[in-house]
Amino acid sequence: MLEIVLHLSLYSIEKTKLPLKSKFYVITLLFFVVSISGISQTATIKGIILDDNNTPIPNVNIKWNTSGTTTNNNGFYIFNIPANQDISVEFTHLSYKKVASKFHLKNGEILEFNPVMNTATEQIATIIINNTSQREVEGIITLKPETIRKIPGANAGVENLLLTLPGVSNNNELSTQYSVRGGNYDENLVYVNGIEVYRPFLIRSGQQEGLSFVNTDLVQNVDFSAGGFQAKYGDKLSSVLDITYKTPYQFEVNTDLSLLGGSISVENISKDSKFTGIAGIRYRDNSLLVDEKETETNYQPSFADIQTYLTYKFSNKFHLSFLGNASINKYNYQPETRQTNFGTFSNPIALLVFYEGQEKDQYRTFFGAFKGTYFANDNLNLNLLASTYHTTEEEYFDILAQYRLGEVNTDIGGENLGEVEYSRGIGSQLNHGRNDLDALISNFEHKGDYKINNNRFEWSVKYTHEDIRDRLIEWEVIDSAGFSIRPPKTSPNEQPYVAYSGPLEAFQNVRSVNKTQIDRIQAYLQWSKRSTIGSSDVWYNAGVRAHNWSVNGMGIEKTNQTVFSPRAQFAIKPDWKKDMLFRVATGLYYQPPFYRELRDANGVVQPNVKAQQSYHIVLGNDYSFKMWDRPFKLTSEAYYKNLNDVNTYTLENVRIRYRASNNAKAYAYGLDMRLNGEFVPGTESWFSFGYLKTEENIDERGYIARPTDQRLKFAALFQDYVPNVPNLKVYLNLVYNTGLPGGSPSYADVYEYQNRLPDYKRADLGLQFVLVDANKQFNSGWKKPFKALSFGFEIYNMFDVQNSITNTWVRDVYTKRQYGIPNYLTPRVFNVRTTMKF
């Protein structure tokens, strides 16, 4: 096409009456423009080339066609290749066998590729967007760190991007927690570089959470499985989020600043390449989001953490790594007033609340982990891990809420439109809390990985000690029109018509002090193999986990339990003209109770709680194809879960309160679908759909919807750029979830309250103007110091939808009626953001 344009242009110039010298300048300019156009469709590969002991190799020759480059002393290289076509790149060195790799990248795409060169056998690797990778056959979704950092959201980061995937839900943008295929927030595993990480215990609302453990600036790779995962992952019922932090190859500084806070990270590598380190500091202030809510408050949050990952290579065979994190979150909340209008257009009602008192919370967590890796030979790796997690949490609050429930003026055009004219109910509510928790969790684990022929064996033995000290004091007094409301499920009275002479009791009263120790021994063994059946490629995986735990402590009779969890996966890629991959995964999954699952609604530890059991079967299909001459993939998964010994719970905002009894059985089934590809050339976007039905049967009373019965879900992540201004990027994050069961009082019988909250609808928009990036560098001027520089503008909840997370229940003593007033989440919020890389 370029040649045709060039010939036509030359012919047109030749026919003009321009002077010969002018024609020469025009033709020269034309050649320059065409040449620039021809080479603009490029992609970039970069990385570190390692030997079989993970030591960087300098002076490796990298070549495609007549173009080439070499690695520096740290084994690092960066190489531009043509985009949107198959490119074969060779990596050669006199002391190592050649590595030949095939790439098919998008225009402007930057791929990190870290090949390993050895002296034993020649390696041939292929990386094409339609090629079947190890993660695909395992049913794992891999997310790009660049996408995670760019997509807007009230809680931008890994969890924000997870919510655009089918089967993953959260109806609270202030929270980083998520529900997967009907499970609750406690049923998800999170690993960072193979080390399990934990969340705080006492957090009750999304606005208290602050920062996720995962620091996005440090992330190199993100893998996510929504079910049917392997035996090497731990004992949870729902999902696995497996994070890998970066291995630095040069000095680099990244910063991200916005009205919600900021972060800075630094990474570097020593001259001899033995020591690498990366560290990040983050600060977040949710005032911008909370100040826009309907409750007027004095709100002083402070969420900050520091995190580091260090590696030292003592030799080619032994590496030692350290992962550390310190987080201090303070939450000071002093509500003043609130007005919420609800009801119908013909009968509008308003709730006016006047507050006194405040809440002061503090969450301090410290985490440290050492990981030693021994490369015995090319086929055997041995790891030893030791980690400690310490959290001290305080929740202190005394808040008096005095409310009026009244009728709203609906006189359109009148001076008092929207004001409360007549009060039909007056009351007050006093909440008191003095909650303290101190938890120390220590882990020691050995892992092994052995390859022989096409077989791979992985194993682990892990010991965990959990020491938890907990004081829980919460009570609530409710007064309606001068009369104290008695606790639920007590004999009724006829106030104010008949005097009540019994003792005054708090409406809710929870008091307990617990000192609990839990010891766990876990182990797994799994086998996997790649093979063929006829002309089809197949992959097998089978393994089993064992988990033994004992519970003891102050006033607790020691108990001991053991469970076994067999799991298996099978995938086949038929030799068809169409690029199809089929997967099946099954297994018996257990979730031995963590401390919070042992504590009942009254705060008492029940040591005999059994592990919840779930039988999984997952059927999946990946169909890769081209549309509009661009690559696309349709991923579909159907799943079924049968659950026994279910530990039922109530969900209020993000606080889970278990009944600490295995008195229910449940099921969940559904269908997840995701279509991703280049809807806009050079950018990846996707659309997700999820259908879920999950119900539980408590004490054989019949099946009812579980608190996480997220029936329908639609989501989209869309990336685009302005054609005439390609440096102006557009990011759109859309989520629609049907309403969850809930909104009922926490003390209520769930069989009597099966109302659903309104549907959750949200759209976040981000605009980013890129001044400097990998394809646009400057050798002079004020932009020279930057490797990347951009400025952005974000709109959260673009359409200003009023989403609600719970209901506040107000009682009218005269009519003996309760009103559920929705607690709305964040309205439309504007934010500005800048990112820099040096």
Side-chain angles (χ1 to χ4, degrees):
M1 178 61 74
L2 290 174
E3 292 179 0
I4 295 174
V5 172
L6 181 59
H7 284 303
L8 290 175
S9 302
L10 291 173
Y11 178 78
S12 299
I13 294 170
E14 185 64 29
K15 293 298 183 181
T16 62
K17 297 181 179 180
L18 291 173
L20 181 61
K21 187 175 181 180
S22 299
K23 289 183 180 181
F24 173 77
Y25 287 137
V26 173
I27 291 173
T28 302
L29 179 61
L30 178 62
F31 269 107
F32 178 77
V33 171
V34 171
S35 299
I36 293 296
S37 301
I39 66 172
S40 63
Q41 300 292 312
T42 62
T44 303
I45 57 173
K46 66 178 183 177
I48 301 175
I49 301 180
L50 308 170
D51 63 15
D52 47 20
N53 291 316
N54 279 359
T55 300
I57 307 173
N59 301 319
V60 175
N61 295 307
I62 300 132
K63 183 180 179 181
W64 168 78
N65 204 354
T66 58
S67 301
T69 186
T70 59
T71 57
N72 63 14
N73 291 333
N74 294 323
F76 173 74
Y77 73 94
I78 185 166
F79 188 40
N80 292 327
I81 61 174
N84 301 318
Q85 58 180 291
D86 291 340
I87 300 298
S88 182
V89 180
E90 291 185 352
F91 300 80
T92 59
H93 192 281
L94 290 176
S95 302
Y96 299 90
K97 291 294 183 180
K98 179 179 70 175
V99 174
S101 300
K102 196 174 183 181
F103 300 88
H104 190 113
L105 304 181
K106 310 166 192 172
N107 180 35
E109 182 176 357
I110 301 174
L111 174 70
E112 184 169 325
F113 178 57
N114 304 313
V116 176
M117 304 182 74
N118 59 56
T119 57
T121 58
E122 185 168 302
Q123 304 166 76
I124 299 177
T126 303
I127 299 180
I128 307 176
I129 192 169
N130 292 335
N131 190 47
T132 304
S133 69
Q134 180 74 17
R135 293 309 190 191
E136 288 175 325
V137 298
E138 295 176 5
I140 290 176
I141 297 173
T142 299
L143 303 174
K144 295 181 180 179
E146 294 82 5
T147 305
I148 295 170
R149 298 183 187 108
K150 293 174 181 176
I151 298 306
N155 256 315
V158 175
E159 294 86 356
N160 179 52
L161 196 62
L162 289 182
L163 299 182
T164 65
L165 302 178
V168 185
S169 301
N170 181 6
N171 286 31
N172 186 350
E173 65 271 5
L174 291 173
S175 172
T176 60
Q177 304 189 63
Y178 50 91
S179 167
V180 179
R181 293 180 176 175
N184 67 33
Y185 304 141
D186 291 338
E187 297 179 10
N188 305 309
L189 287 160
V190 180
Y191 293 93
V192 174
N193 285 58
I195 302 164
E196 185 175 358
V197 298
Y198 303 88
R199 294 178 180 272
F201 291 71
L202 295 182
I203 286 174
R204 293 177 294 112
S205 67
Q207 64 192 46
Q208 295 174 347
E209 287 188 37
L211 296 164
S212 161
F213 181 93
V214 180
N215 187 329
T216 306
D217 292 338
L218 313 187
V219 169
Q220 176 177 291
N221 190 67
V222 178
D223 293 330
F224 179 75
S225 173
F229 43 86
Q230 300 173 11
K232 68 179 180 180
Y233 295 116
D235 292 298
K236 296 285 188 179
L237 296 183
S238 292
S239 74
V240 173
L241 178 62
D242 193 359
I243 307 289
T244 303
Y245 276 179
K246 292 179 182 178
T247 300
Y249 54 84
Q250 61 182 356
F251 177 76
E252 192 170 276
V253 179
N254 291 275
T255 63
D256 189 333
L257 304 173
S258 77
L259 297 179
L260 290 169
S263 66
I264 182 171
S265 67
V266 180
E267 56 188 89
N268 202 3
I269 184 171
S270 63
K271 291 183 178 180
D272 59 4
S273 301
K274 287 189 174 183
F275 177 78
T276 59
I278 185 168
I281 300 176
R282 295 182 294 173
Y283 175 80
R284 183 175 175 86
D285 184 340
N286 279 343
S287 297
L288 178 68
L289 300 172
V290 177
D291 287 347
E292 298 294 330
K293 297 177 70 175
E294 60 188 11
T295 302
E296 294 185 9
T297 65
N298 288 323
Y299 180 60
Q300 297 175 333
S302 177
F303 307 118
D305 81 342
I306 181 171
Q307 200 164 140
T308 185
Y309 184 69
L310 311 172
T311 301
Y312 187 78
K313 301 173 183 178
F314 287 88
S315 68
N316 291 337
K317 288 185 173 292
F318 180 68
H319 300 173
L320 182 65
S321 301
F322 172 75
L323 174 64
N325 178 75
S327 174
I328 301 177
N329 298 337
K330 294 182 179 180
Y331 175 82
N332 296 333
Y333 180 69
Q334 188 175 357
E336 296 178 346
T337 62
R338 165 185 174 180
Q339 178 172 342
T340 303
N341 297 332
F342 63 103
T344 63
F345 181 78
S346 59
N347 184 29
I349 305 173
L351 172 71
L352 285 87
V353 185
F354 301 91
Y355 295 96
E356 294 181 26
Q358 63 179 331
E359 176 176 355
K360 287 190 173 183
D361 303 333
Q362 183 169 267
Y363 310 93
R364 290 174 292 183
T365 62
F366 302 92
F367 179 80
F370 284 96
K371 179 181 180 181
T373 303
Y374 179 66
F375 304 95
N377 53 52
D378 292 345
N379 299 318
L380 177 62
N381 294 335
L382 302 174
N383 296 276
L384 188 64
L385 298 89
S387 67
T388 297
Y389 173 81
H390 185 212
T391 179
T392 56
E393 305 175 24
E394 299 174 355
E395 281 190 329
Y396 296 164
F397 55 87
D398 288 285
I399 297 179
L400 172 64
Q402 297 174 309
Y403 65 85
R404 288 197 300 146
L405 193 65
E407 296 180 357
V408 179
N409 184 305
T410 58
D411 182 15
I412 298 176
E415 296 181 357
N416 299 322
L417 177 66
E419 296 184 4
V420 177
E421 290 188 329
Y422 170 75
S423 296
R424 66 169 65 171
I426 301 174
S428 61
Q429 177 176 314
L430 175 62
N431 287 280
H432 169 88
R434 293 293 184 272
N435 300 329
D436 293 279
L437 184 139
D438 189 327
L440 181 66
I441 303 173
S442 301
N443 295 281
F444 302 92
E445 182 178 12
H446 160 67
K447 287 183 178 181
D449 186 341
Y450 179 62
K451 303 180 184 71
I452 179 170
N453 297 327
N454 291 324
N455 299 278
R456 182 178 184 181
F457 297 91
E458 297 172 82
W459 65 88
S460 167
V461 178
K462 180 180 180 180
Y463 169 73
T464 303
H465 178 72
E466 302 165 8
D467 188 352
I468 297 147
R469 303 179 183 186
D470 180 27
R471 182 189 72 169
L472 182 64
I473 301 176
E474 286 187 20
W475 51 259
E476 178 184 23
V477 175
I478 299 175
D479 177 279
S480 183
F483 300 92
S484 180
I485 304 297
R486 300 192 68 209
K489 301 180 181 178
T490 57
S491 57
N493 62 71
E494 297 299 323
Q495 289 177 282
Y497 308 106
V498 178
Y500 177 73
S501 58
L504 292 176
E505 298 179 66
F507 185 74
Q508 294 188 78
N509 190 6
V510 178
R511 294 174 180 267
S512 69
V513 176
N514 301 309
K515 295 181 180 180
T516 309
Q517 291 84 43
I518 306 173
D519 292 288
R520 305 179 189 272
I521 297 177
Q522 304 172 59
Y524 70 78
L525 173 64
Q526 76 172 30
W527 160 80
S528 57
K529 180 180 180 179
R530 277 186 179 269
S531 184
T532 58
I533 297 179
S535 59
S536 300
D537 294 326
V538 295
W539 181 84
Y540 308 90
N541 176 272
V544 62
R545 290 188 64 88
H547 193 139
N548 171 272
W549 74 98
S550 61
V551 182
N552 62 85
M554 183 181 67
I556 298 174
E557 183 178 351
K558 186 174 181 178
T559 61
N560 190 285
Q561 300 181 59
T562 304
V563 294
F564 295 91
S565 174
R567 308 174 188 179
Q569 296 178 327
F570 173 76
I572 181 169
K573 184 176 178 58
D575 186 18
W576 293 350
K577 185 176 180 180
K578 291 186 176 181
D579 190 350
M580 305 281 275
L581 172 71
F582 298 91
R583 295 185 304 271
V584 59
T586 187
L588 188 60
Y589 293 76
Y590 285 91
Q591 181 162 321
F594 204 51
Y595 172 73
R596 189 157 63 171
E597 296 163 75
L598 295 172
R599 196 176 68 178
D600 64 17
N602 295 317
V604 179
V605 172
Q606 304 293 338
N608 293 311
V609 173
K610 299 179 182 178
Q612 299 184 83
Q613 180 194 95
S614 177
Y615 170 72
H616 287 201
I617 183 166
V618 181
L619 302 176
N621 169 252
D622 290 350
Y623 173 38
S624 299
F625 59 96
K626 283 198 172 183
M627 183 167 60
W628 309 314
D629 291 325
R630 297 194 291 271
F632 286 84
K633 179 184 289 184
L634 175 64
T635 302
S636 307
E637 283 196 342
Y639 58 90
Y640 174 78
K641 301 180 186 180
N642 185 56
L643 295 94
N644 292 292
D645 294 327
V646 174
N647 190 350
T648 55
Y649 59 90
T650 59
L651 184 62
E652 182 180 355
N653 205 312
V654 299
R655 178 166 68 169
I656 299 174
R657 279 190 166 174
Y658 291 93
R659 295 184 175 89
S661 60
N662 305 101
N663 62 334
K665 55 186 178 181
Y667 68 85
Y669 65 82
L671 173 67
D672 289 343
M673 302 181 71
R674 184 170 78 117
L675 175 65
N676 67 297
E678 294 188 37
F679 292 91
V680 175
T683 64
E684 183 185 20
S685 303
W686 61 73
F687 294 87
S688 300
F689 164 77
Y691 170 79
L692 163 72
K693 184 175 183 180
T694 180
E695 293 186 325
E696 60 188 5
N697 184 351
I698 306 174
D699 294 326
E700 299 298 334
R701 296 176 64 185
Y703 281 96
I704 58 172
R706 303 192 77 194
T708 52
D709 184 31
Q710 191 77 73
R711 194 60 55 88
L712 290 175
K713 185 227 176 101
F714 298 92
L717 184 145
F718 199 76
Q719 303 184 67
D720 199 354
Y721 56 87
V722 178
N724 295 327
V725 189
N727 290 331
L728 181 58
K729 314 293 184 181
V730 181
Y731 304 100
L732 186 61
N733 187 1
L734 303 173
V735 175
Y736 169 81
N737 297 328
T738 53
L740 287 169
S744 59
S746 59
Y747 56 82
D749 185 344
V750 293
Y751 279 86
E752 296 178 2
Y753 285 86
Q754 278 295 293
N755 298 328
R756 287 183 178 263
L757 292 166
D759 296 349
Y760 181 86
K761 302 176 285 289
R762 187 173 180 86
D764 297 325
L765 174 69
L767 301 173
Q768 182 186 51
F769 187 78
V770 179
L771 296 176
V772 183
D773 62 11
N775 298 317
K776 191 177 181 181
Q777 298 289 304
F778 294 86
N779 296 321
S780 62
W782 67 272
K783 299 176 186 177
K784 180 180 178 180
F786 297 97
K787 295 180 182 177
L789 175 64
S790 67
F791 295 93
F793 178 72
E794 298 175 334
I795 307 176
Y796 306 142
N797 195 4
M798 185 168 56
F799 300 112
D800 200 21
V801 179
Q802 284 190 314
N803 295 306
S804 60
I805 183 63
T806 55
N807 286 332
T808 295
W809 289 86
V810 177
R811 300 155 183 84
D812 181 358
V813 71
Y814 291 106
T815 63
K816 297 186 178 181
R817 181 178 177 183
Q818 295 188 80
Y819 294 92
I821 293 90
N823 295 315
Y824 292 119
L825 292 165
T826 58
R828 183 189 296 117
V829 176
F830 300 95
N831 186 34
V832 293
R833 181 182 179 188
T834 180
T835 60
M836 292 172 280
K837 180 186 292 186
F838 302 93

